[in-house]
Amino acid sequence: MSEAISPVVAAQRERFSASRSALPGVGHSAVARRRETGMARFESLGLPTRKQEAWKYTDLRRLEKLGLNGATAPADAALPDGLRAFVPAQGPSMVFVNGRLRPELSHLDALPKGLRLDGYAAALEAADAEVESRFAKAADASLVELNAALVEDGAVLRIAPGAVIEAPVRLVFLTAPGDAIVASHPRILVLAGANSQATVIEAYHGTDDTGYFTNAVVDAEIGDGARLRHYRRQSEGLQAVHLLNGSATIGRDATYDSFTLSLGADLARTEVVATFTGRGGNGHVTGAYLADGSRHIDTTTLIDHAVPDCRSREVFKGVLDGKGRGVFQGKIIVRRDAQRTDGYQLNRALMLSRTAEIDSKPELEIYADDVKCSHGATVGEIDSEALFYLRARGIDERTARALLVEAFLREALEEVADEAVREEFEAAVGLWLAGRHQEG
């Protein structure tokens, strides 16, 4: 492994050595083996580097600057008011602080019929066969292996076959400041039974006054005929590094609606892999990313059409200001037998400063004959004529620019089918526009 990243690897190894006997599920041999294997593979692989094609635009040396050590941050840390505002007032929810469940902040009583929520730690301790079987699977990604070694908690969300869950289920991950630099490795498992319907809102928040590291893994299975709306909001603190590996399998005639709003962290990378496993599936992997100051936001997706007669739609829009940098890597694979595939991909970026940067890499890899696939990427500045039109009507320049940015993002936000969530995300975008830091 390279000299530059060895302190990070060493710190995580130190933490594993110090805490391995207390990690959830280590009393069960299969879990203990998986954790040992995960750490060994992480040490062997090291952190991803720009020499790897999938990471050529994102440099994880920022992670080293955090000064990670082997300490474990307290789960009972007090929440500052700014974070307490993100604790849901009602509705089914699980709230995690520094990577571990806080039941007193969550709403786990009187859950709707057909919905089951468990802590990931509790599931590992109980030798839950469904959870263990998925946890046992090895991964090619070193960060997923690190998560397997050090995961302390997370959420297991089960929707019964045929159940319709009206209220959105919120999974909130908060990082509270403390004496130690926090490194948390949460894991989420979502199992949507056949013909079920549910909405899951996943959120990550932290404070700006200290650095920390979030390394999340999310696994969703959408059963035949099911519909899962999966919304994610990443608004970590200014000094945070946020890395997320997500995967979803989409069954026959199932629909997966995914939207990620990324507007936080010093460095953030969200990777989503969606695989069709049954005919007639629909996959919507969409989102918006906003980077100012010197923030770096990487969105990497893979849509795998492994079976015939499926449709996928990707729409991502980015707004970049100051020295902010955006990365979009989107790949659609159409396998040899995946005839009658319909795939659409669009990435558009709006540059608000001359020092901002975007790297866009859309890809189509097609092995079937009867397909309808398209992709596109555009980069531009604010329309000077539209800006002049608004200024001529007495609107000051800052307000006029904000209105044009909001209009640009509207197409992406319209992908959020849930009206209440869309309004929530629109409000978050408005706050970003009002308070962005343009200087890098």
Side-chain angles (χ1 to χ4, degrees):
M1 68 189 69
S2 74
E3 290 292 326
I5 62 174
S6 58
V8 174
V9 177
Q12 297 307 285
R13 176 70 209 189
E14 178 186 347
R15 178 174 173 183
F16 181 70
S17 298
S19 62
R20 72 208 307 168
S21 61
L23 288 168
V26 292
H28 306 293
S29 58
V31 175
R33 284 195 304 271
R34 178 68 183 100
R35 289 188 180 279
E36 294 284 351
T37 301
M39 180 51 66
R41 281 180 54 78
F42 171 66
E43 287 187 281
S44 175
L45 294 169
L47 288 174
T49 72
R50 295 183 64 185
K51 293 180 181 180
Q52 298 166 246
E53 182 65 23
W55 288 83
K56 67 183 294 184
Y57 303 116
T58 296
D59 190 341
L60 286 183
R61 282 181 293 183
R62 293 195 192 196
L63 187 54
E64 183 183 0
K65 297 177 183 178
L66 288 180
L68 295 173
N69 54 46
T72 300
D76 59 354
L79 289 180
D81 291 341
L83 289 183
R84 190 166 288 277
F86 295 113
V87 175
Q90 59 186 359
S93 63
M94 302 181 78
V95 178
F96 301 82
V97 177
N98 295 345
R100 280 161 285 176
L101 180 64
R102 288 277 289 267
E104 79 279 10
L105 301 176
S106 307
H107 296 280
L108 297 171
D109 297 327
L111 295 177
K113 183 179 180 181
L115 173 64
R116 176 179 171 184
L117 291 176
D118 297 298
Y120 206 94
L124 290 177
E125 287 288 346
D128 186 307
E130 205 164 29
V131 174
E132 273 197 11
S133 66
R134 291 173 176 273
F135 183 66
K137 294 178 181 177
D140 292 330
S142 65
L143 292 163
V144 178
E145 293 295 312
L146 176 62
N147 178 283
L150 287 172
V151 57
E152 292 180 284
D153 216 338
V156 181
L157 191 158
R158 296 177 175 97
I159 305 120
V164 177
I165 311 301
E166 299 289 350
V169 182
R170 292 183 179 267
L171 308 175
V172 182
F173 296 85
L174 306 175
T175 301
D179 295 332
I181 299 295
V182 178
S184 61
H185 305 271
R187 186 171 284 228
I188 298 171
L189 175 59
V190 180
L191 300 172
N195 301 308
S196 64
Q197 296 182 38
T199 298
V200 178
I201 304 171
E202 181 187 330
Y204 300 85
H205 306 285
T207 60
D208 292 336
D209 52 3
T210 186
Y212 59 92
F213 174 36
T214 301
N215 176 40
V217 171
V218 183
D219 180 11
E221 179 182 287
I222 300 92
D224 293 349
R227 177 167 187 174
L228 179 67
R229 292 175 173 175
H230 188 180
Y231 304 126
R232 180 179 295 119
R233 177 179 170 185
Q234 182 277 110
S235 58
E236 303 270 32
L238 278 169
Q239 303 180 57
V241 172
H242 175 97
L243 305 175
L244 183 143
N245 277 271
S247 63
T249 56
I250 305 168
R252 186 181 183 92
D253 297 321
T255 297
Y256 180 56
D257 284 323
S258 166
F259 188 95
T260 299
L261 176 63
S262 295
L263 39 67
D266 177 41
L267 182 149
R269 176 179 165 110
T270 299
E271 184 170 346
V272 177
V273 178
T275 304
F276 291 98
T277 59
R279 292 182 181 225
N282 291 277
H284 306 142
V285 179
T286 59
Y289 51 95
L290 301 89
D292 60 356
S294 60
R295 295 179 191 264
H296 180 110
I297 297 181
D298 179 334
T299 300
T300 296
T301 67
L302 171 62
I303 310 298
D304 190 347
H305 285 266
V307 295
D309 302 308
C310 294
R311 293 161 296 281
S312 64
R313 176 178 172 84
E314 282 188 89
V315 176
F316 280 87
K317 286 197 167 187
V319 175
L320 305 169
D321 200 1
K323 296 179 181 177
R325 182 176 181 182
V327 176
F328 175 80
Q329 299 182 105
K331 187 173 186 176
I332 297 175
I333 296 180
V334 182
R335 305 292 179 179
R336 190 173 304 278
D337 296 328
Q339 304 295 340
R340 297 170 299 282
T341 286
D342 185 350
Y344 173 78
Q345 181 190 92
L346 174 67
N347 174 53
R348 296 181 64 193
L350 181 64
M351 316 295 278
L352 301 184
S353 75
R354 296 190 179 277
T355 52
E357 184 178 347
I358 178 69
D359 295 290
S360 189
K361 186 184 175 187
E363 294 182 86
L364 294 177
E365 192 173 311
I366 301 173
Y367 300 100
D369 299 322
D370 184 9
V371 302
K372 184 172 69 173
C373 291
S374 65
H375 66 174
T378 62
V379 178
E381 300 177 344
I382 283 181
D383 187 326
S384 58
E385 290 187 6
L387 183 61
F388 176 81
Y389 177 87
L390 292 174
R391 294 294 310 280
R393 277 147 184 78
I395 299 175
D396 66 89
E397 183 172 355
R398 183 179 179 86
T399 302
R401 285 180 173 272
L403 288 171
L404 292 173
V405 173
E406 288 175 355
F408 171 79
L409 289 170
R410 190 169 299 127
E411 180 185 359
L413 290 167
E414 284 174 355
E415 300 291 330
V416 180
D418 186 294
E419 184 176 350
V421 177
R422 186 168 63 249
E423 291 177 356
E424 181 179 321
F425 282 10
E426 287 173 347
V429 168
L431 288 174
W432 183 89
L433 289 170
R436 65 188 190 274
H437 304 276
Q438 296 186 355
E439 296 303 319

